Amino acid sequence: MKWFSLLIVVLFFTACGGNADYSPKPRGYFRIVFPKKEYQPYTEGCPFTFEYPKYATIEQDKSPGAKPCWQNVQFPQFNATLHLSYENIKSKKEFDQLIEDAHKLSFKHTVKATSIDEGVIAYPRRHIYGIYYTIDGNAASSAQFFLTDSTRHYLRGALYFNTEPRLDSIQPVLTFIKKDVDVMIKTFKWKD
């Protein structure tokens, strides 16, 4: 028994020695399988149409105060939602307020964002104008935009992931979904 205890102690000390250059391994993430990019038209009862991915679903916004053409484009595979809110413009004052609200809501993420870039959206033949906000860093929303015809219609979009924002872990998915948002904007049309 004495030899057995001595053998255990010797094995313990030899197991503890050795490579002093050990460093912990980085946390791994699940492999992400991206679906094929295929699009379908959105033509429901709202005054606009656009194309959205076949792997996404669109449902009516059920939050309190939601209006009839407030939609959520769900990306269930990626745990993300693109919130769309439509407003019918009734006056110049209301239009100016909607534009100001879009700017404020985008720059509300300044606390966590490393940068916020604004890109102009302009498709004059289709009467579509707006601004695309790219929000970098660990902000809650990574992309926001608004589209308008400057007279009667206004649509605001905001992309959120339903998880704690960590840019390094969501970056591949964010890049993938931003391409879908770009397709949506490029195919967007007012019905009237």
Side-chain angles (χ1 to χ4, degrees), residues 166-180:
R166 287 189 190 155
L167 186 62
D168 61 337
S169 62
I170 66 166
Q171 188 63 53
V173 174
L174 177 61
T175 302
F176 185 80
I177 292 178
K178 277 185 174 180
K179 290 178 185 173
D180 296 330

Side-chain angles (χ1 to χ4, degrees), residues 44-49 69 86 88 153 188-192:
E44 300 304 315
C46 296
F48 52 82
T49 64
C69 283
Y86 170 79
N88 187 11
H153 303 292
F188 193 90
K189 295 178 186 169
W190 304 112
K191 282 187 179 175
D192 49 15

Side-chain angles (χ1 to χ4, degrees), residues 69-85:
C69 283
W70 286 19
Q71 309 290 333
N72 291 327
V73 181
Q74 301 287 348
F75 297 88
Q77 179 180 358
F78 305 119
N79 202 18
T81 304
L82 176 64
H83 300 278
L84 301 175
S85 26

